[in-house]
Amino acid sequence: MQRRRFLSLSAAGAATAAMVPALSACGSGGPGGGKKTLRLVAAEYGDGKPENSSKKYWDSVARTFMGDHKGVKVEVEVYSWTEVDKKVADMVAQGNAPDVAQIGAYADFAAAGKLYSADQLLSISTQADFIASIARAGEVHRTQYGLPFVSSTRLLFCNETLFRKAGIIKKPESWAEVQTAATKLKAAGVKIPFGLPLGPEEAPAETMLWMLGGGGGYTDKNGSYTIRSQQNVRTFEWLRDELVGKELTGPGNPARTNRQDLFDAFCKGQVGMLHGHPSLMQQAEAADIKYEMIPLPGIDGKAKSTMGVADWVMAFKTAPRKEVGLFLDFLYGTQTVLDFTGKYDLLPVTTSASRQMRKDDSKRSKKLRPFLDPLPQAEFYPADKTSWAKVSKTIKEKIGGVVQKGADVAGILDEIQREADSTDGVAR
């Protein structure tokens, strides 16, 4: 069964789009009378089963919208996360851009001048409804081009059965307490006391979670890369010496360990603790794993912020602006948002939908609230930087080296920093 990709890190295929010259208008957006056709390309969030396909959601949205807007037709194409970003980039390169795309990254297209800005499309009420921290992540040079679609934050998952077996009563709030708990789990025979996935699947996410816990991050408030900061060096020296060096991350090499491998192991009762997102809840419950989710531990106590991840909607300038604006205002209606987030255990990106989720007393909504509460203060990937796709790739290739025995942490981070600055056009 093909597993869905949970909230994309970057659009690898989209990087080529910025080099494509400006395109002429495609057929759907041209002038003239008659019914306007909007072509939407979206990502698949389902698990491969027809009843769980995102196509069903988008077809329902399109039918409802067309019922209220007789002069507009909406055609939907849905592709897997492994191909959708490249599909859109190829369409743009061929002069056949979709009118609306729901994919992983927007910055390359925005930098190339191919996208409408949010204020050119949306009503004032829709723009104001976006959660501010997520809307800011959609800005390039203080103008919003990326419209957040769904979001997620991360928490620390703890296996309750293994914690009891190890005699751990208090859940960890600091890194020192993480180490103490992991030591007890190891002594109790737990195969992987702390799961550390620094392999290529989602290394940038795990990296950012530890950076935030140590008071650092990928960029400063001005948007400049700070990968080599003293805070980040201190963070990964601690990981190298106090977690990996003490053999508290299991028998595998973290540099080659992917997140889904650890999720699978968690659901087999082999992992004591790991960072997780909401989809792990479903997997753990299906495997009858008893777990607790807690805020991320930090270097001196609870981390001051968690990582937020968002996927994006964008509209190309070749599209008919009025009709696209009407469709997007409809798409961001409270119930329309909740229909999708509820289907896939994701978080809404609008204040109204978030408020409604908090009022919902269903078991699933209650379980999502710990992820929802830190969302307004969450830190996001620097998705507004056209360099991020390449920097993310470099991190996937090199960050695992920092936790190897005897690793030159400062040297490896400095190498990644130099490549990031070079990609970003910064002289050092």
Side-chain angles (χ1 to χ4, degrees), residues 29 70 86 143 204 255 276 359 426:
K70 302 299 184 183
K86 187 176 186 303
T143 298
K359 291 180 180 178
V426 176

Side-chain angles (χ1 to χ4, degrees), residues 129-137 151-154 304-309 347-352 354-355 358 368-380:
D129 199 25
F130 286 129
I131 295 172
S133 61
I134 312 178
R136 285 194 297 271
S151 62
S152 173
T153 57
R154 304 295 163 91
K304 293 179 173 59
S305 64
T306 186
M307 182 187 73
V309 183
L347 301 182
V349 296
T350 62
T351 301
S352 60
S354 298
R355 188 181 300 119
R358 285 191 176 90
L368 284 170
R369 284 175 193 165
F371 293 96
L372 186 63
D373 290 341
L375 187 58
Q377 290 78 42
E379 299 283 342
F380 289 80

Side-chain angles (χ1 to χ4, degrees), residues 253-307:
N253 181 352
R256 293 195 292 269
T257 301
N258 285 327
R259 185 179 299 280
Q260 190 58 55
D261 296 332
L262 288 176
F263 279 13
D264 291 343
F266 186 82
C267 295
K268 294 176 183 176
Q270 299 174 346
V271 180
M273 298 173 279
L274 81 169
H275 296 135
H277 48 58
S279 71
L280 182 55
M281 295 190 303
Q282 283 186 341
Q283 297 175 44
E285 289 164 10
D288 199 28
I289 297 294
K290 308 302 180 187
Y291 65 90
E292 183 177 348
M293 303 177 301
I294 63 174
L296 299 180
I299 189 168
D300 296 318
K302 291 181 183 179
K304 293 179 173 59
S305 64
T306 186
M307 182 187 73

Side-chain angles (χ1 to χ4, degrees), residues 15 18 68 82 124 147 181 183 194-195 236 263 312 323 327 332 372 378 394:
D68 294 334
T82 59
I124 293 174
L147 312 179
T183 301
F194 194 103
F236 290 107
F263 279 13
W312 303 96
E323 286 76 12
F327 177 75
Y332 285 104
L372 186 63
T394 300

Side-chain angles (χ1 to χ4, degrees), residues 387-408:
S387 58
W388 173 241
K390 290 182 179 179
V391 173
S392 175
K393 182 174 182 292
T394 300
I395 292 165
K396 291 178 182 182
E397 294 169 348
K398 297 185 176 181
I399 197 64
V402 298
V403 296
Q404 306 305 307
K405 184 177 180 180
D408 178 6

Side-chain angles (χ1 to χ4, degrees), residues 12-239:
T16 58
M19 296 180 286
V20 181
L23 303 172
S24 58
C26 61
S28 64
K35 179 175 286 192
K36 293 289 179 69
T37 298
L38 302 183
R39 187 161 62 102
L40 167 72
V41 174
E44 176 60 78
Y45 289 75
D47 57 10
K49 299 175 182 177
E51 63 271 19
N52 198 34
S53 173
S54 300
K55 187 70 160 56
K56 291 184 66 176
Y57 167 82
W58 287 110
D59 285 345
S60 175
V61 169
R63 282 195 303 271
T64 305
F65 176 78
M66 288 187 294
D68 294 334
H69 301 82
K70 302 299 184 183
V72 184
K73 180 181 179 182
V74 180
E75 296 177 346
V76 180
E77 302 170 40
V78 175
Y79 298 97
S80 72
W81 271 116
T82 59
E83 60 180 340
V84 67
D85 290 324
K86 187 176 186 303
K87 282 279 188 182
V88 172
D90 288 346
M91 291 174 185
V92 173
Q94 294 161 8
N96 189 33
D99 297 306
V100 178
Q102 183 272 300
I103 54 176
Y106 64 88
D108 285 334
F109 299 123
K114 301 185 187 304
L115 302 181
Y116 286 120
S117 61
D119 60 0
Q120 291 177 309
L121 296 167
L122 304 176
S123 66
I124 293 174
S125 59
T126 299
Q127 291 183 71
D129 199 25
F130 286 129
I131 295 172
S133 61
I134 312 178
R136 285 194 297 271
E139 294 179 354
V140 174
H141 302 308
R142 300 185 181 274
T143 298
Q144 185 182 358
Y145 295 96
L147 312 179
F149 179 60
V150 288
S151 62
S152 173
T153 57
R154 304 295 163 91
L155 297 173
L156 185 70
F157 281 68
C158 303
N159 183 307
E160 290 276 35
T161 303
L162 297 181
F163 267 58
R164 285 197 298 269
K165 178 182 177 182
I168 304 169
I169 298 174
K170 181 179 181 294
K171 299 300 188 300
E173 294 184 0
S174 68
W175 289 354
E177 292 175 358
V178 165
Q179 186 199 58
T180 298
T183 301
K184 291 181 179 179
L185 288 163
K186 180 183 177 183
V190 175
K191 182 178 179 181
I192 305 172
F194 194 103
L196 185 65
L198 291 175
E201 179 189 353
E202 211 176 2
E206 190 71 17
T207 298
M208 185 171 177
L209 288 167
W210 285 100
M211 285 179 170
L212 292 174
Y218 282 125
T219 60
D220 60 21
K221 62 181 180 180
N222 297 316
S224 299
Y225 285 112
T226 55
I227 295 167
R228 171 55 175 82
S229 71
Q230 285 303 310
Q231 295 95 323
N232 292 341
V233 171
R234 177 182 60 179
T235 289
F236 290 107
E237 287 180 344
W238 185 91
L239 268 180

